[in-house]
Amino acid sequence: MPTRTLGSTGPAVSALGLGAMGMSGAYGAADRAESIATVHAALEAGVTLFDTADFYAMGHNELLLAEALRGRDRDSYRLSVKFGMLRGPGPDFGGHDGRPEAVKNFLAYSLTRLGTDHIDIYRPARLDPDVPIEETVGAIKEMIDAGYVRHLGLSEVDAATVRRAHAVHPVADLQIEYSLISRAVEADVLPALRELGIGLTAYGVLGRGLISGHWSADRAAGPGDGRGFSPRFSDGNVEHNLTLVEAMRGIAEAKGCTVAQLAIAWVAAQGEDIVPLVGARTRERLAEALPALSVDLTADDLAEIEKAVPPGSARGDRYPAAFMSGLGVGN
C-alpha cells in the first residue's frame, strides 16, 4: 500500500482511506459482522486512514470502529473524526455547533466511544454560521496542545475559511467531496490548499455509488437509504447521469479495470496531495476499490475521461436543497 502525506504538517497515511459512514445506515441497513470484517480486510491490505463522525447514527459508527480496531496497535492507524452536526432522535438535523465548549464536549464523547486517548485528525463537519471559525479552531488547538488531538482538519468550507483557520493553527487537510461529477473544489479551494501546503481527503469519489458502475436507473433506494432524497438519483437526473457512467465504462474496459476503479484512479491522479476515501461497507466492494491505486492513467487517458465526463455534466445538486447552503462550494 503506497502512502501519501496530508499536507505539510499532517500525518503519512495510506493512499486510499476507508470512510465508515455507510456502515451505520446512511445507505440503508448494513451488516455489522460484514462491516467489521471489511475494516479488518482494510487493515490487512495496509489501509491506515479511517474516517468517521460522531453523528453517524449518533455514535454507532464510532462504537463500531472501536470494536473493529480493538487490539490493534494504536500507532498503526489514523482516525479522522468530524463533529458539530446536531440531530434529534428522528431523521431531522438541527444545525451545527462550533462553540469552543461544544468542541471539547463532542471530543470527550468521541474519545470514549472510540476507546482511544487521542484522535489523529479532528474537524468540524460544517461551518457554524454563528461562530467565527477562529473560535472553533482555537478550541481544537487547545486540545492539540493538551495531547487529545494530533492534527487539525476542516470539512466542506471555502478558500477564505481555510485561510482564516490556517492562520490560527496549521491545517493538515480539508475533507471535501471531489469526484468526476463533483469538481467545484478545483476553482478556488484546491489552489488555496496547495498554496498553503494543506492536503485534501476526497469523499464521494464514486458519487455515493452513482458512478460506481453498479447503479441502474430502475434501482430504487431502500428504506433508510439517503440516496432516495438525492437530486442526482431522482427520476430524469439519474438516467442522464448514468449515460456518463456508460461513457466511463468504455474507457475502463480499454484500461482493463472497472468503472469504480477508473473513478477512484482519476481522483488519485489529480495530485499526490489528495487521498481518496472509499465508502466500502463490504469486503467485496473494498476488494474492487483497492486495485484502483495500480491503474496508471496517462495524459491521453485523462483527456479521454475529461471528454467523456466534462466538468458540470452531471445533473442535480450533490445534496438536497436544505443542505446545499451549508457547503463552502457547490457542485
Side-chain angles (χ1 to χ4, degrees), residues 43 55 97 117 131 136 167-168 177-178 209 219 234 315 319:
L43 288 164
F55 52 86
D97 194 345
D117 63 356
V131 179
T136 303
V168 176
E177 187 167 355
Y178 188 30
R219 177 178 170 183
S234 65
R315 286 185 185 168
Y319 279 97

Side-chain angles (χ1 to χ4, degrees), residues 272-314:
E272 290 291 322
D273 52 352
I274 298 172
V275 175
L277 297 172
V278 295
R281 53 179 176 161
T282 66
R283 286 169 287 181
E284 180 183 7
R285 289 290 179 256
L286 177 67
E288 180 184 14
L290 290 171
L293 296 176
S294 300
V295 177
D296 181 26
L297 297 179
T298 66
D300 288 342
D301 293 331
L302 292 170
E304 188 175 3
I305 294 169
E306 185 91 3
K307 183 178 179 180
V309 189
S313 57

Side-chain angles (χ1 to χ4, degrees), residues 178 189-199 269-274:
Y178 188 30
V189 174
L190 189 53
L193 298 181
R194 287 174 169 160
E195 175 193 335
L196 298 171
I198 299 171
Q270 301 312 301
E272 290 291 322
D273 52 352
I274 298 172

Side-chain angles (χ1 to χ4, degrees), residues 35-49:
S35 295
I36 291 172
T38 301
V39 173
H40 290 168
L43 288 164
E44 290 160 11
V47 173
T48 62
L49 179 62

Side-chain angles (χ1 to χ4, degrees), residues 33-121:
E34 180 61 24
S35 295
I36 291 172
T38 301
V39 173
H40 290 168
L43 288 164
E44 290 160 11
V47 173
T48 62
L49 179 62
F50 296 88
D51 182 76
T52 184
D54 60 11
F55 52 86
Y56 289 169
M58 302 314 292
H60 175 278
N61 202 244
E62 290 180 318
L63 292 168
L64 179 72
L65 269 183
E67 182 177 348
L69 295 169
R70 189 169 297 130
R72 304 281 176 164
D73 179 357
R74 182 61 183 87
D75 292 331
S76 67
Y77 61 88
R78 302 286 177 264
L79 289 172
S80 166
V81 180
K82 295 182 290 296
F83 70 89
M85 192 170 286
L86 305 177
R87 297 188 63 176
D92 296 333
F93 284 86
H96 313 284
D97 194 345
R99 295 171 302 142
E101 57 269 35
V103 172
K104 298 170 185 178
N105 181 75
F106 292 138
L107 176 61
Y109 277 113
S110 286
L111 289 170
T112 299
R113 283 189 293 257
L114 287 163
T116 184
D117 63 356
H118 71 278
I119 287 170
D120 298 285
I121 311 161

